[in-house]
Amino acid sequence: MTLPPTHDPALDVAELRAIIDSSADCIKVLDLNARLLSMNAGGMETMEITDFSVCDNLLWPSFWEGEARTQVEQALNAARAGQTTTFEGPARTFAGTPRWWEVRVSPLRAPDGTVTRLLASSRDITARKVTEQQLEAAQHQLRDHAQILEIRVEQRERALEAFVRFTTQVATSTDLNDIATAASDIIRDAVGGAISGFYLISGEMAYPVMFSSNTPPEVIAARRAGIPLSAPLVTDALARRGTSFTGGEDGRQQSVGYASALSITAYHQGDRPYALFATGTQRSEWTAQEQGIIGSVGRGLGLALERAAQTQELTRQRDALAVRTHELIAANEELDAFTYSASHDLRTPIRHVMGFADLARAALVKNQPEKIARNLDIIQQGAMRMNGLIDGMLMLSRAGRQDVHPRMVALKPLISQAHQDAQLEFPDQTIDMQVQGAMTVWGDATLLQQVLTNLISNAVKYSTRREVSAVTVQVDETGTEWTITVQDNGAGFNPEYGGKLFGIFQRLHTQDAFPGIGVGLATVRRIALKHGGRVFADGVVDQGATFGVTLPKPTA
């Protein structure tokens, strides 16, 4: 190997060669074209070269590939320009062993300073690089683990928040949809975006009430038809009276093409299957933690459903008690009215009968046939009046005793029948009937027929002094009740006395002006109370009147 001259008298060329050859660094001398001119013995061993002749005069950059080769070319160009460059890069030994190298490329100058050759020194840093890579991999693994832990902590925080929301929601609501929505929200947040749905059982099928907000539209469309109780997972859940899980191929076969991991929680009322809560995810299996969460939510939902059912039962009992209380109040009022009638309304025609019977007897003694006939006519009218009062009391009594058999009732045929009845009662009167609003309500069809017949007949009677009786039936609906009103263009009344109109035998007009006994509106009130509703009236003298009744909607 040709060495540059030394100016240190303490070292000769042989000693310098020995030092260089013993170095493990691969020290190479290159010509300006980067061809190998020489290499130290230690470098040949490091590069796994047994005979320098195999690489003599080879281009040194050919030992490098990719980005490392670009670094080599840049370092060579810098050395040719008189600059020293250091870099790190991978390259294989002559035997093909992959190594990492720390490379230093420097210019070799002639005495006049001209760059004549290039010196390249390569140190094997594979061990350090492997250690660095292992450290970097460990750091990357730690970062990944930290991210996973952060995600798990975030998931647990969301789960806890969802549990708090769920607990609050089910503690303050008895609405099935609200309770099921709260359960679906916690499943979505705590079980990696799982979808869910709540179903009520009817016959051999369970039909959906609600789906979680993240349920795909195609799943909703497929499940609208319901879930058969014969499905294996449903059958198992019903037998357990709790939660059953499945996954993998079995889950795919029982899903609607979306989920693989499925669960069903079954609920009973006594021994009767009542509802299902279904969950699913596209992953093939549930984790143990997810099964625990679903089981906990399922049990919480079951307790909430039991409490909701108990609350609804108490509400039904309370409403029934309220209806019964109103009926008792009405019965007491009617008993008071009966007492009054027995002492006044019924006594009046009796006094007429007795008084005019005496006059008829006196006229008979005096042989006055005209007076006898007139007195007998008055006696007959009194008897008819008393008979009408008794019939009215019997009709009101029957309305009070009649059981209520509620269902959804179509009002149109009832209104048509009431219109026909009014026309038969007042054959000479023209009736302009208008009907507006909802046409179905919840109630007893037979009793509601009496209500409509009484209200429409009342409207026509008090508008017979008009050329046309303009009667409007309006049915309005809110979230809790229906309101039926009958408005007319008749005589009206002073609103100051409107509260008396629904009492038995209470009338604001004379018998000569508008005949009647004052039982129709009392019957309407009695029927409204039996339905849990109320009655009301509004009017203006000579400007018509409006009578109404409310019917509550059934509780779920």
Side-chain angles (χ1 to χ4, degrees):
M1 175 177 181
T2 302
L3 297 175
T6 177
H7 301 288
D8 187 349
L11 295 173
D12 59 18
V13 173
E15 289 175 326
L16 288 174
R17 170 182 283 282
I19 292 171
I20 294 172
D21 284 342
S22 65
S23 173
D25 293 348
C26 181
I27 302 172
K28 302 167 285 294
V29 176
L30 314 173
D31 65 14
L32 294 179
N33 292 324
R35 294 181 181 276
L36 281 169
L37 300 178
S38 64
M39 184 182 301
N40 65 328
M44 291 177 59
E45 183 178 351
T46 301
M47 283 293 294
E48 298 182 319
I49 298 173
T50 56
D51 184 358
F52 180 72
S53 63
V54 299
C55 59
D56 186 20
N57 212 38
L58 290 180
L59 286 171
W60 181 53
S62 64
F63 286 51
W64 302 80
E65 297 177 351
E67 184 179 351
R69 182 163 184 169
T70 301
Q71 290 179 296
V72 168
E73 295 287 1
Q74 292 173 346
L76 289 172
N77 289 333
R80 293 183 186 111
Q83 299 175 358
T84 298
T85 304
T86 301
F87 68 90
E88 294 179 356
R92 295 180 180 275
T93 66
F94 203 76
T97 304
R99 299 277 175 85
W100 269 88
W101 308 94
E102 181 184 82
V103 181
R104 181 183 179 87
V105 182
S106 305
L108 292 177
R109 300 177 184 273
D112 62 359
T114 304
V115 177
T116 59
R117 295 179 184 178
L118 306 175
L119 181 66
S121 176
S122 303
R123 174 173 294 175
D124 185 357
I125 59 171
T126 304
R128 174 169 66 83
K129 275 294 184 180
V130 169
T131 301
E132 290 177 354
Q133 290 172 349
Q134 290 175 343
L135 179 60
E136 183 178 356
Q139 291 175 339
H140 182 71
Q141 187 176 10
L142 286 173
R143 285 195 298 269
D144 289 345
H145 186 61
Q147 290 178 348
I148 293 172
L149 288 177
E150 184 178 352
I151 291 172
R152 287 179 179 174
V153 168
E154 184 179 350
Q155 288 176 340
R156 290 183 179 180
E157 287 179 350
R158 289 203 308 267
L160 288 173
E161 291 175 358
F163 267 111
V164 170
R165 292 197 306 272
F166 176 64
T167 303
T168 303
Q169 187 79 18
V170 300
T172 58
S173 176
T174 58
D175 183 85
L176 291 183
N177 189 72
D178 289 347
I179 295 172
T181 298
S184 294
D185 288 346
I186 193 173
I187 293 298
R188 179 198 61 205
D189 293 341
V191 191
I195 64 174
S196 55
F198 183 68
Y199 299 75
L200 289 179
I201 295 174
S202 177
E204 296 301 316
M205 297 288 291
Y207 297 98
V209 174
M210 60 74 59
F211 295 97
S212 59
S213 59
N214 60 332
T215 303
E218 58 271 22
V219 175
I220 294 176
R223 285 303 192 199
R224 285 293 183 195
I227 300 176
L229 301 190
S230 58
L233 190 60
V234 177
T235 300
D236 188 61
L238 290 171
R240 291 173 178 267
R241 299 175 72 95
T243 304
S244 292
F245 298 91
T246 190
E249 185 60 30
D250 184 56
R252 282 190 291 274
Q253 290 178 358
Q254 296 190 57
S255 74
V256 291
Y258 173 83
S260 292
L262 303 173
S263 80
I264 294 288
T265 303
Y267 303 99
H268 290 70
Q269 286 184 341
D271 293 330
R272 182 178 65 87
Y274 166 57
L276 302 177
F277 184 63
T279 66
T281 180
Q282 289 182 314
R283 288 180 286 105
S284 61
E285 299 289 344
W286 298 111
T287 66
Q289 181 182 8
E290 289 170 341
Q291 290 188 13
I293 292 173
I294 292 171
S296 296
V297 172
R299 289 188 293 273
L301 178 57
L303 292 174
L305 293 175
E306 289 179 7
R307 185 177 58 80
Q310 293 170 356
T311 301
Q312 290 171 357
E313 178 61 28
L314 290 174
T315 299
R316 282 192 290 269
Q317 294 177 3
R318 181 201 63 195
D319 292 343
L321 181 60
V323 171
R324 183 58 179 161
T325 300
H326 286 308
E327 289 180 347
L328 289 174
I329 292 173
N332 286 332
E333 291 175 353
E334 289 162 5
L335 182 59
D336 291 340
F338 174 78
T339 302
Y340 175 82
S341 297
S343 62
H344 184 270
D345 294 289
L346 292 177
R347 285 181 181 273
T348 298
I350 291 174
R351 285 197 300 268
H352 285 180
V353 169
M354 293 175 64
F356 283 96
D358 290 340
L359 292 175
R361 185 179 294 109
L364 180 62
V365 171
K366 296 177 181 179
N367 194 23
Q368 296 174 321
E370 296 83 0
K371 288 185 177 181
I372 294 172
R374 185 172 67 254
N375 292 331
L376 289 175
D377 287 340
I378 295 173
I379 291 172
Q380 186 178 29
Q381 292 173 9
M384 292 175 61
R385 173 67 177 171
M386 184 168 59
N387 188 63
L389 292 172
I390 294 172
D391 286 344
M393 294 179 68
L394 291 174
M395 180 178 68
L396 183 62
S397 177
R398 283 195 297 270
R401 293 196 309 270
Q402 187 170 341
D403 291 334
V404 179
H405 301 287
R407 58 182 175 84
M408 290 306 296
V409 177
L411 290 181
K412 188 174 181 180
L414 305 187
I415 295 172
S416 297
Q417 182 62 51
H419 185 186
Q420 294 176 17
D421 293 343
Q423 194 67 75
L424 289 173
E425 186 177 357
F426 305 98
D428 298 329
Q429 184 68 13
T430 300
I431 303 173
D432 179 17
M433 177 78 72
Q434 300 294 325
V435 181
Q436 301 172 357
M439 283 295 103
T440 57
V441 299
W442 180 262
D444 185 291
T446 301
L447 294 176
L448 291 181
Q449 181 68 75
Q450 292 185 51
V451 168
L452 289 167
T453 296
N454 277 300
L455 292 180
I456 292 174
S457 175
N458 196 67
V460 174
K461 178 173 69 175
Y462 286 99
S463 59
T464 50
R465 294 186 178 182
R466 310 292 189 191
E467 184 176 345
V468 175
S469 294
V471 180
T472 300
V473 180
Q474 174 79 36
V475 184
D476 295 313
E477 181 179 4
T478 68
T480 58
E481 65 182 10
W482 291 275
T483 301
I484 304 172
T485 57
V486 178
Q487 183 179 18
D488 62 62
N489 62 337
F493 59 87
N494 186 338
E496 183 179 350
Y497 304 108
K500 296 182 178 182
L501 290 174
F502 292 96
I504 184 173
F505 304 141
Q506 298 295 314
R507 307 184 72 250
L508 300 182
H509 301 86
T510 65
Q511 184 73 13
D512 292 337
F514 298 102
I517 59 175
V519 174
L521 292 179
T523 302
V524 170
R525 178 171 180 260
R526 170 60 69 88
I527 293 173
L529 291 176
K530 290 183 74 68
H531 283 76
R534 64 187 187 280
V535 292
F536 58 90
D538 188 25
V540 178
V541 176
D542 293 330
Q543 295 185 31
T546 300
F547 291 87
V549 58
T550 66
L551 300 171
K553 290 187 174 180
T555 56

